Amino acid sequence: MNTFSTRIRWAAAAALLLAACAPAAAPTSAPVPTAEPQIIEVTRVVAGTPEVQVITATPPPAAPAETFRVAIVMPSSTTDMAFSQSMYEGLLAVQREMGGEGAMEIAYSEGMFSVPDAAAALRDYASQGYDLVIAHGSQYGTSLAQLAPEFPETSFAWGTALDTFQAQGVTNVFAYQAEAQQGGYVLGTIAALMSESGVIGISGPVEAGDAKLYVDGFKFGAESAKAGTKVNVSYTGSFSDVSLMAAAAETHVAAGADMLTGSSQSVVGAIGVAKDQGAYWFGTQWEQTFLAPEAVVASQVYDWTGIIKDMIASHQAGVLGGKSYTLTFKNGGLVIA
Amino acid sequence: MSELFTLPVLLGILYSGIRLATPYLYAAIGETFAQRSGVYNLGVEGIMLMGAYTAFYVASISGDLWLGLGAAAGVGAMLGLLMAFVSVTLRAEQGISGIGLHLFGLGLSTLLFKTTLGGVTSISGFQPVRIPFLADIPLLGDALFNHNLLVYVAFLLVPVANWVINDTTLGLKIRAVGQNPAAADSLGVSVGKIRYLTVTVGGVFAGIAGASLSIALINLFQENMTNGQGFIAVALVYFGGWRPWGVLGGAMLFSLVNALQLWIQVAGIELESDIAVMLPYLLTIVALAVAVRRAQQPAALSKPFERGEA
Amino acid sequence: MNTSARTPLRELKMVDIVKRFPGVLANDGVNFDVRAGEVHALLGENGAGKSTLMRQLYGLYKPDSGQIIIDGQPRVFQSPADAIHAGVGMIHQHFMLVSSLTVAENVALGLASTRGPRLDLDRVAERIRGLAERYGLKVDPSAVVWQLSVGEQQRVEILKALYRGASLLVLDEPTAVLTPQEAQELFVTLRQMADDGHALIFISHKLHEVLALSHRVTVLRDGRLVGTYPTAEMTRADLARLMVGREVLLQYDRPPAQPGETRLQIDGLWAIGDRGVDAVRDFSLTVRAGEVVGLAGVSGNGQRELAEVLTGLRQPSRGKVTLNGRDVTHASPAERIAAGQCAIPEERMRTGVIKDFSVLENAILCDHSHRPFSRNTVLNFGEIAAHTRRLIADYAVKTPTAETPIKNLSGGNIQKLILARELCRKPTVIIAAQPTRGVDIGASEYIHHRLLEQRAAGTATLLISEDLDEIRALSDRIAVIFEGRLMGVVDAATATAESLGLMMAGTRQTE
Ligand SMILES: Nc1ncnc2c1ncn2[C@@H]1O[C@H](COP(=O)(O)OP(=O)(O)OP(=O)(O)O)[C@@H](O)[C@H]1O
Ligand SMILES: [Mg+2]
């Protein structure tokens, strides 16, 4: 009895520990941190690998004789007001441009927090003959590298990342990255100039990937724009913990911040805090204004359409992979809304 | 460091800690009832999600927060009944059926969210109610007595639950059924009825726990927004040694440390964010290991009862 | 709390009761009745159907056919609640107490309170004291049950029933777990209750208790009624014959012991009990080949812990145990078995069998990994089945089939199976703890014969028992334990009940 209850207590402890690790173990949009230090500078596109392609404006792909079939697997939902929604809406926009469902078919699996499930879905789509299969999450990379060589006719894409696995001899994988620090810098500049208290609060999910890029860019922008601006940064350790993100925003306000920002789908709670506490909010990944029009100043929006169009055009031209893309202001992939 | 331990900061931590603890209290107190009677409901998370969704949807359609809260409690009761049916009447393996209930709540709330709401929207939830006089107490008044109604109720629930479990005839039956159902049965106490009751009450509280998130604390609904809080609540029941006051202690410790780690980060104290976010979990585990006390684990926990087995 | 305001029942009749379990006809048209003011004893071998009959009376099982009639009114009990309401109380063979609750809480459980939803434990305690005084049931209402001795727990069970205003009380083997002194105290209580107009049903395998206490006695055999008789007209031998269906020897002929070499040697043994205090203190004893050494003592004086140390279930804190010349002080149960020791455990349901396993699986629990039962870890079911059938036949174990889960066997039959399993291994040392507790006289006699057979074959036997009659009937030498210490070892032939009683009460043997 006694040893049993002790065991239960340890199991409970382990449950707590697991709960602590789970969010970190399943990041939804964090790319594998790249080895190179990221230089944050708005005017220059940062080269991650030698073959970065910068897309400026691609005309819509020639209307194909048969339907172009795209499938996508995403960690969160198509309505997350963040990472997944930005890509899904990008696909819908391209679909409209190409002439609707007859020209381009979109299949998607959302909420694939579990990597093995996502890997299975990716395989399904590939074997069903989709032309382009997108693994929208850097955590899917390893699975994709194994899968791609088995389906040489199919184009694959993944992000945010820059590695197309060419070093491993894989030729049918595209990679895409968002230079989120660029918008961060711009928004940070605005925030610093707007702030009356001189204190800015940033809450990120996990200290990695485009979230980190954004947070660092924002901080750098704010500090450069106005000397003496104090920028407080916190991370919640989770992409989905709405409660903790809201508590983080409250903490920033209590610490004197009147300008707030944050990244990941969990920021929705923090936007509510900004509204209630009379602070201003800056969004990223997706247009977040309508949640609290009076509080949201501006959002950096990811516009993936250029990249999607180029991938389709490449595929139709017989180039099934090998390119790395980056979203930047210069190429129109990043937009302030 | 000195910046962190100023009075306003400490009060801020207390304020945030109290808010963060609220959903845990509802869910864990409800689970305490179920476990004291011998039923292990791992489905709390799923019920919380359904409660959060229902409260938000009903409140935003009707404009009536109370209606939303009532609907969340109702849905919680129904899911609690379902769990009771599966674990008491069908005598299914409780851990497995709880996980099933979680997946069911997660799936259904996501589906309903997609079809009825489409995307994230927010509403104006329960507003803070300043308690006259008490809120004017210097220093502590604002941190303790300027919360919304659901926060107060969550804390009041602790002494009430403690009273019900320890000082009422019903509580005696609950304890007996969780320790030795055959003995309770032999005295004419209906093991099934008591377990149905506690699991249903646990469901109601889990539903309200979800509602406290969606219409009182965060005021929006997003899929999977509970993010594991229901599972932490189950762990807190163990942590609290199946006693409401112990559950309160665990919930507050966990939430205060969470609020503290946010402050540590905001205050710019050098600490890896990965380590900071682990703090509440680590500290809770340490407290669990250090506080070696005789747990009153219900001896019949998770064992279905069938009459006639000696 | 109008629990005792109800009019007490005057007569209860069970008519043509039939109850069937898979493969067993547990009650076959049984007629039975009990009246206010009498103690009615119910006798029968293990598995005769006594507990089954009583469980129907208490609403735990429903009869397949037959009627229960109280004061002329037919009654149907759907659950214990109905039976309690009709004034029936039951003290189960296995106690039905919530060990983490206090005495008062156990008594108040399920009853309405005088304070509405709030518990009124202070008033309950007051009433308990009143009842305790009246019937000599000394117990502290605020004590937590797990801290109570077995005798006290039984008093709580009786108080529970009395508190509910039971006018008929069923006691299923109440003395099996009591020391002789506690049993005497219980009889005083029961007589007082009968004098007060309660009806009592008393089940026991100890014939002298039945003869001393009851007014009438009913005998069951194989689920059928043998008859109901006025106790005054019966003798021990009569009752034994009615139960078993043949003459039962109540005495054994034992040739004088021919002790050989020392087989089991215990030197200065100390062990800590469950409560964290020393339960066995500086205990030394030797058992030689071809002799039975009885270890007598009032229960709770360290016998259980000693048996656990000797079988490898508990680690001693000091001292040494030698088995056939080998030091086994810290050996595992398996090593001891390999060294030729076998054990008949005290708590048969906990350490003797796996209750959800079948008779067959339990029969080879220890030997399953050896030939002929298995080869390279694969079980040989043909051989196992044949072996089990042999054991069942040799030891007259009553079971519907070899595949029946062992928990459905009656207590005595489980004990026979354990004995069969252990003895067929041809041990050199036997540790037998309470080998006949709860076992009927026929089976007890049988078990005793087997143990004496082993003695004749040169086995060394340590017999641990709280039943002095058993100890005296089987032992060559008698050791007495008190508070974990050896009070002395006497020659069984010359020991008197008085001298043993004194030693059991803590007086050291004087020479
Ligand atoms: N729940 C059950 N399922 C199947 N068989 C049962 C069950 N309970 C009892 N039996 C069988 O019914 C018969 C009568 O058992 P019962 O327990 O009434 O015997 P008993 O007279 O009380 O014996 P003992 O003196 O050993 O307690 C036995 O053969 C037993 O195996
Ligand atoms: Mg019996």
Side-chain angles (χ1 to χ4, degrees), chain C residues 127-440:
Chain C
R127 277 198 64 195
I128 291 175
R129 283 194 201 94
L131 285 170
E133 186 130 346
R134 176 167 187 81
Y135 295 108
L137 295 161
K138 215 167 53 182
V139 63
D140 172 10
S142 61
V144 180
V145 163
W146 65 263
Q147 297 173 325
L148 301 181
S149 73
V150 172
E152 287 172 312
Q153 293 190 16
Q154 187 171 69
R155 282 177 228 152
V156 180
E157 286 283 28
I158 297 173
L159 281 167
K160 263 164 61 180
L162 290 177
Y163 194 93
R164 284 165 171 70
S167 46
L168 165 63
L169 203 60
V170 180
L171 298 114
D172 195 349
E173 296 191 40
T175 57
V177 290
L178 299 186
T179 63
Q181 288 88 335
E182 285 173 325
Q184 286 312 317
E185 288 166 25
L186 174 67
F187 292 164
V188 173
T189 299
L190 297 183
R191 286 198 188 97
Q192 174 69 49
M193 287 171 62
D195 289 347
D196 271 11
H198 288 89
L200 299 171
I201 301 172
F202 177 80
I203 301 177
S204 174
H205 289 296
K206 296 177 188 160
L207 298 181
H208 64 91
E209 294 178 351
V210 170
L211 290 168
L213 187 68
S214 70
H215 302 98
R216 288 191 296 158
V217 51
T218 290
V219 180
L220 296 182
R221 194 194 308 148
D222 288 334
R224 272 188 299 274
L225 177 70
V226 176
T228 300
Y229 315 91
T231 311
E233 295 170 15
M234 306 302 282
T235 64
R236 255 180 103 148
D238 292 337
L239 292 177
R241 185 172 29 78
L242 288 170
M243 276 171 67
V244 185
R246 61 175 164 85
E247 292 300 327
V248 181
L249 285 177
L250 294 162
Q251 254 18 198
Y252 309 112
D253 291 331
R254 292 188 301 127
Q258 311 271 315
E261 79 280 6
T262 296
R263 288 273 173 82
L264 177 68
Q265 180 157 359
I266 307 167
D267 287 311
L269 199 68
W270 290 74
I272 298 171
D274 289 339
R275 304 263 159 93
V277 294
D278 285 321
V280 177
R281 303 157 197 234
D282 195 22
F283 189 94
S284 304
L285 189 67
T286 49
V287 186
R288 290 165 298 176
E291 74 167 347
V292 175
V293 176
L295 182 65
V298 176
S299 102
N301 273 289
Q303 302 93 314
R304 187 166 60 83
E305 290 81 359
L306 177 66
E308 284 172 358
V309 169
L310 294 180
T311 49
L313 298 175
R314 182 182 292 273
Q315 283 296 314
S317 45
R318 260 184 283 165
K320 187 174 173 194
V321 181
T322 318
L323 177 65
N324 292 325
R326 269 185 54 198
D327 181 353
V328 293
T329 313
H330 299 285
S332 69
E335 290 168 288
R336 287 169 210 257
I337 290 169
Q341 175 177 292
C342 85
I344 299 161
E346 173 178 352
E347 291 184 59
R348 53 183 167 243
M349 274 313 215
R350 228 188 52 189
T351 48
V353 295
I354 299 179
K355 66 181 191 166
D356 290 311
F357 278 23
S358 68
V359 170
L360 194 141
E361 288 163 319
N362 272 294
I364 55 147
L365 217 46
C366 307
D367 300 310
H368 61 89
S369 56
H370 309 301
R371 291 188 186 195
F373 304 130
S374 71
R375 229 175 252 180
N376 308 327
T377 76
V378 178
L379 292 174
N380 178 348
F381 281 104
E383 186 56 43
I384 290 169
H387 170 75
T388 307
R389 270 196 302 277
R390 262 193 318 273
L391 290 184
I392 290 175
D394 285 359
Y395 286 74
V397 179
K398 251 183 233 160
T399 175
T401 69
E403 281 76 33
T404 305
I406 198 147
K407 68 178 178 192
N408 287 351
L409 264 59
S410 75
N413 284 304
I414 295 174
Q415 192 71 341
K416 284 194 209 169
L417 184 81
I418 293 173
L419 195 78
R421 177 182 79 201
E422 297 297 323
L423 295 188
C424 79
R425 278 207 235 107
K426 308 211 174 6
T428 56
V429 173
I430 299 173
I431 312 283
Q434 323 289 355
T436 60
R437 173 181 283 177
V439 173
D440 67 52

Side-chain angles (χ1 to χ4, degrees), chain A residues 8 77 79 110 207 235 240, chain B residues 114 118 223 227 238 265 273:
Chain A
I8 287 294
S77 85
T79 52
E110 57 184 342
E207 205 169 348
Y235 287 93
S240 48
Chain B
K114 288 266 156 71
E223 60 179 301
N227 194 48
Y238 283 87
Q265 293 192 50
S273 73

Side-chain angles (χ1 to χ4, degrees), chain A residues 100-141:
Chain A
E101 282 172 29
M104 176 177 158
E105 176 195 331
I106 304 171
Y108 67 90
S109 298
E110 57 184 342
M112 305 297 272
F113 289 96
S114 143
V115 173
D117 290 352
L122 290 170
R123 177 175 293 280
D124 277 356
Y125 285 130
S127 51
Q128 284 166 26
Y130 280 86
D131 300 304
L132 174 61
V133 177
I134 305 174
H136 192 51
S138 50
Q139 65 270 40
Y140 305 149

Side-chain angles (χ1 to χ4, degrees), chain B residues 308, chain C residues 21-22 24 26 44-53 61 93 172-173 205 398 400 408-413 438 440:
Chain C
F21 291 116
V24 199
E45 289 182 276
N46 294 122
K50 306 178 294 293
S51 297
T52 303
L53 188 69
Y61 296 152
Q93 211 165 346
D172 195 349
E173 296 191 40
H205 289 296
K398 251 183 233 160
N408 287 351
L409 264 59
S410 75
N413 284 304
D440 67 52

Side-chain angles (χ1 to χ4, degrees), chain A residues 2-76:
Chain A
N2 206 11
T3 56
F4 179 69
S5 68
T6 319
R7 217 167 44 194
I8 287 294
R9 281 164 169 268
W10 280 109
L16 282 169
L17 189 59
L18 275 180
C21 298
T28 55
S29 59
V32 182
T34 43
E36 283 110 314
Q38 300 284 347
I39 304 150
I40 293 153
E41 208 173 303
V42 173
T43 48
R44 219 178 70 201
V45 174
V46 178
T49 65
E51 331 100 290
V52 168
Q53 283 257 336
V54 180
I55 310 302
T56 34
T58 310
E66 54 189 300
T67 312
F68 191 83
R69 302 174 71 212
V70 182
I72 177 166
V73 174
M74 315 174 251
S76 48

